[in-house]
mmCIF file of all heavy atoms in Angstrom:
data_model
loop_
_atom_site.group_PDB
_atom_site.id
_atom_site.type_symbol
_atom_site.label_atom_id
_atom_site.label_comp_id
_atom_site.label_asym_id
_atom_site.label_seq_id
_atom_site.Cartn_x
_atom_site.Cartn_y
_atom_site.Cartn_z
ATOM 1 N N VAL A 174 190.785 9.750 133.714
ATOM 2 C CA VAL A 174 191.195 8.705 132.775
ATOM 3 C C VAL A 174 189.985 7.850 132.409
ATOM 4 O O VAL A 174 189.339 7.277 133.284
ATOM 5 C CB VAL A 174 192.290 7.820 133.394
ATOM 6 C CG1 VAL A 174 192.704 6.716 132.418
ATOM 7 C CG2 VAL A 174 193.490 8.656 133.806
ATOM 8 N N PRO A 175 189.638 7.735 131.133
ATOM 9 C CA PRO A 175 188.475 6.937 130.740
ATOM 10 C C PRO A 175 188.577 5.496 131.220
ATOM 11 O O PRO A 175 189.645 4.885 131.186
ATOM 12 C CB PRO A 175 188.516 7.005 129.209
ATOM 13 C CG PRO A 175 189.240 8.269 128.903
ATOM 14 C CD PRO A 175 190.273 8.403 129.981
ATOM 15 N N ALA A 176 187.421 4.980 131.680
ATOM 16 C CA ALA A 176 187.282 3.611 132.177
ATOM 17 C C ALA A 176 187.918 3.410 133.543
ATOM 18 O O ALA A 176 187.703 2.384 134.182
ATOM 19 C CB ALA A 176 187.841 2.591 131.194
ATOM 20 N N VAL A 177 188.698 4.374 134.020
ATOM 21 C CA VAL A 177 189.231 4.334 135.382
ATOM 22 C C VAL A 177 188.437 5.314 136.241
ATOM 23 O O VAL A 177 187.895 4.951 137.282
ATOM 24 C CB VAL A 177 190.730 4.648 135.423
ATOM 25 C CG1 VAL A 177 191.235 4.689 136.859
ATOM 26 C CG2 VAL A 177 191.513 3.628 134.614
ATOM 27 N N PHE A 178 188.336 6.578 135.818
ATOM 28 C CA PHE A 178 187.485 7.576 136.452
ATOM 29 C C PHE A 178 186.139 7.640 135.724
ATOM 30 O O PHE A 178 186.067 7.426 134.511
ATOM 31 C CB PHE A 178 188.121 8.964 136.366
ATOM 32 C CG PHE A 178 189.162 9.250 137.403
ATOM 33 C CD1 PHE A 178 190.439 8.735 137.277
ATOM 34 C CD2 PHE A 178 188.879 10.064 138.493
ATOM 35 C CE1 PHE A 178 191.414 9.005 138.212
ATOM 36 C CE2 PHE A 178 189.849 10.350 139.439
ATOM 37 C CZ PHE A 178 191.120 9.818 139.303
ATOM 38 N N HIS A 179 185.097 7.982 136.469
ATOM 39 C CA HIS A 179 183.859 8.400 135.834
ATOM 40 C C HIS A 179 184.152 9.671 135.030
ATOM 41 O O HIS A 179 184.916 10.529 135.496
ATOM 42 C CB HIS A 179 182.798 8.735 136.881
ATOM 43 C CG HIS A 179 181.923 7.593 137.265
ATOM 44 N ND1 HIS A 179 180.863 7.168 136.493
ATOM 45 C CD2 HIS A 179 181.952 6.775 138.332
ATOM 46 C CE1 HIS A 179 180.273 6.146 137.072
ATOM 47 N NE2 HIS A 179 180.921 5.868 138.193
ATOM 48 N N PRO A 180 183.570 9.846 133.858
ATOM 49 C CA PRO A 180 183.702 11.149 133.181
ATOM 50 C C PRO A 180 183.185 12.252 134.100
ATOM 51 O O PRO A 180 182.259 12.038 134.884
ATOM 52 C CB PRO A 180 182.810 10.991 131.939
ATOM 53 C CG PRO A 180 182.750 9.516 131.702
ATOM 54 C CD PRO A 180 182.781 8.884 133.068
ATOM 55 N N THR A 181 183.788 13.417 134.013
ATOM 56 C CA THR A 181 183.386 14.556 134.836
ATOM 57 C C THR A 181 182.299 15.339 134.121
ATOM 58 O O THR A 181 182.504 15.841 133.013
ATOM 59 C CB THR A 181 184.588 15.473 135.121
ATOM 60 O OG1 THR A 181 185.585 14.729 135.827
ATOM 61 C CG2 THR A 181 184.171 16.668 135.955
ATOM 62 N N ALA A 182 181.138 15.444 134.755
ATOM 63 C CA ALA A 182 179.992 16.137 134.152
ATOM 64 C C ALA A 182 180.002 17.612 134.550
ATOM 65 O O ALA A 182 180.097 17.940 135.743
ATOM 66 C CB ALA A 182 178.698 15.484 134.592
ATOM 67 N N ILE A 183 179.929 18.478 133.549
ATOM 68 C CA ILE A 183 179.889 19.925 133.784
ATOM 69 C C ILE A 183 178.866 20.527 132.828
ATOM 70 O O ILE A 183 179.028 20.468 131.608
ATOM 71 C CB ILE A 183 181.260 20.586 133.544
ATOM 72 C CG1 ILE A 183 182.331 19.956 134.437
ATOM 73 C CG2 ILE A 183 181.182 22.089 133.795
ATOM 74 C CD1 ILE A 183 183.740 20.429 134.109
ATOM 75 N N ASP A 184 177.794 21.081 133.378
ATOM 76 C CA ASP A 184 176.773 21.756 132.584
ATOM 77 C C ASP A 184 176.304 20.916 131.388
ATOM 78 O O ASP A 184 176.214 21.403 130.257
ATOM 79 C CB ASP A 184 177.290 23.114 132.089
ATOM 80 C CG ASP A 184 177.399 24.131 133.209
ATOM 81 O OD1 ASP A 184 176.858 23.873 134.301
ATOM 82 O OD2 ASP A 184 178.022 25.179 132.998
ATOM 83 N N GLY A 185 176.018 19.660 131.649
ATOM 84 C CA GLY A 185 175.453 18.819 130.604
ATOM 85 C C GLY A 185 176.454 18.199 129.654
ATOM 86 O O GLY A 185 176.069 17.457 128.740
ATOM 87 N N ARG A 186 177.739 18.473 129.845
ATOM 88 C CA ARG A 186 178.769 17.863 129.012
ATOM 89 C C ARG A 186 179.655 16.989 129.882
ATOM 90 O O ARG A 186 179.745 17.189 131.091
ATOM 91 C CB ARG A 186 179.621 18.931 128.316
ATOM 92 C CG ARG A 186 178.841 19.837 127.388
ATOM 93 C CD ARG A 186 179.778 20.789 126.672
ATOM 94 N NE ARG A 186 179.049 21.733 125.834
ATOM 95 C CZ ARG A 186 179.629 22.623 125.031
ATOM 96 N NH1 ARG A 186 180.944 22.689 124.973
ATOM 97 N NH2 ARG A 186 178.903 23.444 124.302
ATOM 98 N N GLU A 187 180.327 16.041 129.260
ATOM 99 C CA GLU A 187 181.219 15.154 129.989
ATOM 100 C C GLU A 187 182.649 15.336 129.501
ATOM 101 O O GLU A 187 182.898 15.447 128.296
ATOM 102 C CB GLU A 187 180.794 13.696 129.818
ATOM 103 C CG GLU A 187 179.477 13.379 130.508
ATOM 104 C CD GLU A 187 179.140 11.909 130.449
ATOM 105 O OE1 GLU A 187 179.341 11.307 129.360
ATOM 106 O OE2 GLU A 187 178.675 11.360 131.456
ATOM 107 N N TYR A 188 183.570 15.339 130.466
ATOM 108 C CA TYR A 188 184.973 15.586 130.161
ATOM 109 C C TYR A 188 185.824 14.449 130.701
ATOM 110 O O TYR A 188 185.524 13.874 131.749
ATOM 111 C CB TYR A 188 185.428 16.919 130.758
ATOM 112 C CG TYR A 188 184.700 18.104 130.185
ATOM 113 C CD1 TYR A 188 183.503 18.540 130.754
ATOM 114 C CD2 TYR A 188 185.186 18.759 129.061
ATOM 115 C CE1 TYR A 188 182.818 19.622 130.216
ATOM 116 C CE2 TYR A 188 184.503 19.841 128.519
ATOM 117 C CZ TYR A 188 183.319 20.265 129.100
ATOM 118 O OH TYR A 188 182.636 21.309 128.556
ATOM 119 N N VAL A 189 186.892 14.141 129.973
ATOM 120 C CA VAL A 189 187.835 13.108 130.400
ATOM 121 C C VAL A 189 189.254 13.665 130.293
ATOM 122 O O VAL A 189 189.471 14.809 129.875
ATOM 123 C CB VAL A 189 187.687 11.820 129.551
ATOM 124 C CG1 VAL A 189 186.342 11.160 129.821
ATOM 125 C CG2 VAL A 189 187.853 12.119 128.067
ATOM 126 N N ASP A 190 190.191 12.823 130.646
ATOM 127 C CA ASP A 190 191.611 13.188 130.743
ATOM 128 C C ASP A 190 192.115 13.953 129.512
ATOM 129 O O ASP A 190 191.911 13.535 128.370
ATOM 130 C CB ASP A 190 192.415 11.896 130.912
ATOM 131 C CG ASP A 190 193.815 12.132 131.440
ATOM 132 O OD1 ASP A 190 194.534 12.958 130.854
ATOM 133 O OD2 ASP A 190 194.198 11.484 132.420
ATOM 134 N N GLY A 191 192.810 15.049 129.765
ATOM 135 C CA GLY A 191 193.343 15.863 128.679
ATOM 136 C C GLY A 191 194.435 15.196 127.875
ATOM 137 O O GLY A 191 194.763 15.644 126.774
ATOM 138 N N THR A 192 194.996 14.108 128.407
ATOM 139 C CA THR A 192 196.043 13.399 127.681
ATOM 140 C C THR A 192 195.546 12.903 126.329
ATOM 141 O O THR A 192 196.324 12.722 125.400
ATOM 142 C CB THR A 192 196.539 12.188 128.505
ATOM 143 O OG1 THR A 192 196.766 12.606 129.839
ATOM 144 C CG2 THR A 192 197.821 11.611 127.931
ATOM 145 N N LEU A 193 194.256 12.696 126.223
ATOM 146 C CA LEU A 193 193.671 12.176 124.998
ATOM 147 C C LEU A 193 193.926 13.094 123.812
ATOM 148 O O LEU A 193 194.029 12.623 122.674
ATOM 149 C CB LEU A 193 192.166 11.983 125.205
ATOM 150 C CG LEU A 193 191.394 11.173 124.181
ATOM 151 C CD1 LEU A 193 191.897 9.748 124.157
ATOM 152 C CD2 LEU A 193 189.907 11.207 124.509
ATOM 153 N N VAL A 194 194.017 14.410 124.062
ATOM 154 C CA VAL A 194 194.219 15.358 122.966
ATOM 155 C C VAL A 194 195.501 16.176 123.084
ATOM 156 O O VAL A 194 195.988 16.727 122.097
ATOM 157 C CB VAL A 194 193.023 16.337 122.843
ATOM 158 C CG1 VAL A 194 191.791 15.618 122.339
ATOM 159 C CG2 VAL A 194 192.731 17.031 124.164
ATOM 160 N N SER A 195 196.058 16.281 124.297
ATOM 161 C CA SER A 195 197.232 17.136 124.460
ATOM 162 C C SER A 195 198.028 16.723 125.701
ATOM 163 O O SER A 195 197.878 17.306 126.771
ATOM 164 C CB SER A 195 196.801 18.602 124.596
ATOM 165 O OG SER A 195 197.909 19.471 124.580
ATOM 166 N N PRO A 196 198.892 15.698 125.581
ATOM 167 C CA PRO A 196 199.626 15.208 126.753
ATOM 168 C C PRO A 196 200.614 16.210 127.329
ATOM 169 O O PRO A 196 200.888 16.192 128.528
ATOM 170 C CB PRO A 196 200.345 13.963 126.225
ATOM 171 C CG PRO A 196 200.384 14.122 124.744
ATOM 172 C CD PRO A 196 199.173 14.894 124.378
ATOM 173 N N VAL A 197 201.160 17.087 126.486
ATOM 174 C CA VAL A 197 202.058 18.156 126.954
ATOM 175 C C VAL A 197 201.561 19.435 126.268
ATOM 176 O O VAL A 197 201.977 19.758 125.158
ATOM 177 C CB VAL A 197 203.532 17.881 126.596
ATOM 178 C CG1 VAL A 197 204.441 18.904 127.269
ATOM 179 C CG2 VAL A 197 203.940 16.477 127.006
ATOM 180 N N PRO A 198 200.652 20.186 126.912
ATOM 181 C CA PRO A 198 199.873 21.216 126.216
ATOM 182 C C PRO A 198 200.611 22.515 125.882
ATOM 183 O O PRO A 198 200.255 23.606 126.334
ATOM 184 C CB PRO A 198 198.711 21.463 127.181
ATOM 185 C CG PRO A 198 199.281 21.168 128.522
ATOM 186 C CD PRO A 198 200.244 20.032 128.326
ATOM 187 N N VAL A 199 201.607 22.387 125.028
ATOM 188 C CA VAL A 199 202.390 23.557 124.621
ATOM 189 C C VAL A 199 201.557 24.507 123.762
ATOM 190 O O VAL A 199 201.668 25.731 123.869
ATOM 191 C CB VAL A 199 203.655 23.113 123.865
ATOM 192 C CG1 VAL A 199 204.441 24.328 123.364
ATOM 193 C CG2 VAL A 199 204.530 22.247 124.759
ATOM 194 N N ARG A 200 200.703 23.942 122.902
ATOM 195 C CA ARG A 200 199.911 24.784 122.009
ATOM 196 C C ARG A 200 199.023 25.754 122.777
ATOM 197 O O ARG A 200 198.828 26.895 122.363
ATOM 198 C CB ARG A 200 199.045 23.919 121.086
ATOM 199 C CG ARG A 200 199.823 23.174 120.015
ATOM 200 C CD ARG A 200 198.916 22.262 119.198
ATOM 201 N NE ARG A 200 198.360 21.202 120.022
ATOM 202 C CZ ARG A 200 197.066 20.898 120.068
ATOM 203 N NH1 ARG A 200 196.208 21.576 119.354
ATOM 204 N NH2 ARG A 200 196.637 19.902 120.821
ATOM 205 N N VAL A 201 198.481 25.301 123.909
ATOM 206 C CA VAL A 201 197.632 26.178 124.716
ATOM 207 C C VAL A 201 198.452 27.340 125.270
ATOM 208 O O VAL A 201 198.016 28.496 125.265
ATOM 209 C CB VAL A 201 196.956 25.389 125.853
ATOM 210 C CG1 VAL A 201 196.217 26.317 126.802
ATOM 211 C CG2 VAL A 201 195.996 24.350 125.273
ATOM 212 N N ALA A 202 199.653 27.051 125.750
ATOM 213 C CA ALA A 202 200.524 28.109 126.278
ATOM 214 C C ALA A 202 200.855 29.122 125.192
ATOM 215 O O ALA A 202 200.853 30.339 125.428
ATOM 216 C CB ALA A 202 201.800 27.502 126.848
ATOM 217 N N ARG A 203 201.142 28.656 123.991
ATOM 218 C CA ARG A 203 201.427 29.565 122.879
ATOM 219 C C ARG A 203 200.204 30.423 122.559
ATOM 220 O O ARG A 203 200.318 31.623 122.292
ATOM 221 C CB ARG A 203 201.844 28.775 121.644
ATOM 222 C CG ARG A 203 203.211 28.116 121.744
ATOM 223 C CD ARG A 203 204.327 29.129 121.854
ATOM 224 N NE ARG A 203 205.639 28.497 121.750
ATOM 225 C CZ ARG A 203 206.770 29.062 122.137
ATOM 226 N NH1 ARG A 203 206.759 30.263 122.690
ATOM 227 N NH2 ARG A 203 207.915 28.425 122.005
#
Side-chain angles (χ1 to χ4, degrees):
V174 179
V177 176
F178 278 78
H179 269 281
T181 299
I183 302 172
D184 288 347
R186 299 184 184 184
E187 291 186 318
Y188 297 88
V189 293
D190 198 308
T192 313
L193 193 63
V194 290
S195 188
V197 188
V199 177
R200 289 176 295 130
V201 173
R203 290 296 188 198

